[in-house]
Amino acid sequence: MRRTLLAAAAVVLLALPAAAQERTIRVISGFAAGGAGDLMARLIAEYVPPLMGARGVVENRTGANGLIGAEVVARSAPDGNTVLQCPMGSMTITPNLPGASLPIDPRTEMTGVANVALSTYALIVAARGPYPDVPALLAAARARPGALTYASAGVGSAQHLSVEMLKARAALDIAHAPYRGATPAVVDILGGRVDFMITNLGDVMRQITGGELRLLALGDDAGSPLFPQARPISAFVPGLQMAGWFGICGPKGMSEESLARWSDATRRALENPQFRERLLANGLTPHFEDTRSFNARIASDLQSWGEVIRAAGIRGD
């Protein structure tokens, strides 16, 4: 009996160091559960940290177009154990908004780590609503200036600016209804309280395939293999293109070694067929960019979205 107990104790003691050494990596999502941003955070947490010998967990910290979550990351130690699932809007649109009271400035307090996926946008309405197609929606907006409403994930979000581009190119007067994330916005579209929305296809895949929402058009000419019959919005408003991305960002000060480790793990994760299939099934296109390429994309989009914001006269206050 004594030998049995000693042997069991030895097994426990041998197991303790390995368990104690397992890291936990926090993947922060700045948006509500249920949307594309939250989905991306959960997929990243599931597939990337294990390739670095760690366990990924997701935390939702909503508000300020994703920058409440970004603040959590920016204030964390730059050791690679806390990262942000960073969408295009949080990193390149919100920082451009004049008058916005931001908890942090991602341009100076955050860094791109790696890009994970590209996202087409979807123009959607309630399936039981009065708009069967894009021409009907545009006609209604022109017939009743200021009467129609569109939802967004917040002032200065990618959803907001996408419709502002639509309004400018099509000479429309439509009222803005901002929400704290895409999920509550979609709820009000389904309830008939808002007329339409342009958002990440991944935000609304379930409701489109379930017949609750009607997909009127896709945001860019690349289209989606999931909806091969869907026309691009440029077919109705020439020259209009809308697309986004979802990446991984960290606090300034991350070491080159940590950035390289994250970038390599992200690249290897995207080679996993299951990860790729789950992204594609949710309207996202797997697209790896290493740290240098991803930061170049962020810098380019900061400039181009700044031009859109200034042209539309949008303010964050």
Side-chain angles (χ1 to χ4, degrees), residues 36-37 40 85-88 115-119 200 244-248 284:
M40 277 302 308
Q85 185 294 110
C86 53
M88 178 186 68
N115 200 12
V116 179
L118 303 179
S119 172
N200 294 291
W245 44 259
F246 290 97
I248 302 167
L284 300 165

Side-chain angles (χ1 to χ4, degrees), residues 2 42 44 58 69 107 126 130 169 186 194 216 218 223 239 258 266:
R2 183 179 179 186
R42 295 182 186 283
I44 289 168
V58 175
R107 295 169 294 189
R169 286 186 176 269
V186 170
V194 187
L216 298 189
L218 293 172
S258 181
T266 303

Side-chain angles (χ1 to χ4, degrees), residues 21-110:
Q21 289 171 9
E22 183 183 26
R23 285 193 302 148
T24 295
I25 288 177
R26 295 191 300 163
V27 180
I28 306 299
S29 171
F31 297 92
D38 177 69
L39 168 71
M40 277 302 308
R42 295 182 186 283
L43 289 176
I44 289 168
E46 180 177 348
Y47 286 97
V48 182
L51 295 175
M52 297 182 284
R55 180 176 66 96
V57 297
V58 175
E59 293 183 17
N60 296 86
R61 303 290 185 91
T62 66
N65 292 332
L67 291 187
I68 296 299
E71 182 183 22
V72 173
V73 176
R75 303 287 183 256
S76 300
D79 55 10
N81 289 334
T82 303
V83 297
L84 178 73
Q85 185 294 110
C86 53
M88 178 186 68
S90 300
M91 295 298 293
T92 67
I93 294 177
T94 307
N96 270 307
L97 290 172
S101 178
L102 306 179
I104 65 159
D105 187 342
R107 295 169 294 189
T108 58
E109 299 181 70
M110 301 287 293

Side-chain angles (χ1 to χ4, degrees), residues 133-178:
D133 50 33
V134 174
L137 179 66
L138 297 180
R142 292 186 176 114
R144 297 183 292 149
L148 268 66
T149 56
Y150 72 93
S152 83
V155 174
S157 63
Q159 293 94 334
H160 179 194
L161 265 67
S162 294
V163 180
E164 288 301 314
M165 288 195 295
L166 169 65
K167 288 169 58 178
R169 286 186 176 269
L172 302 174
D173 180 5
I174 308 170
H176 180 206

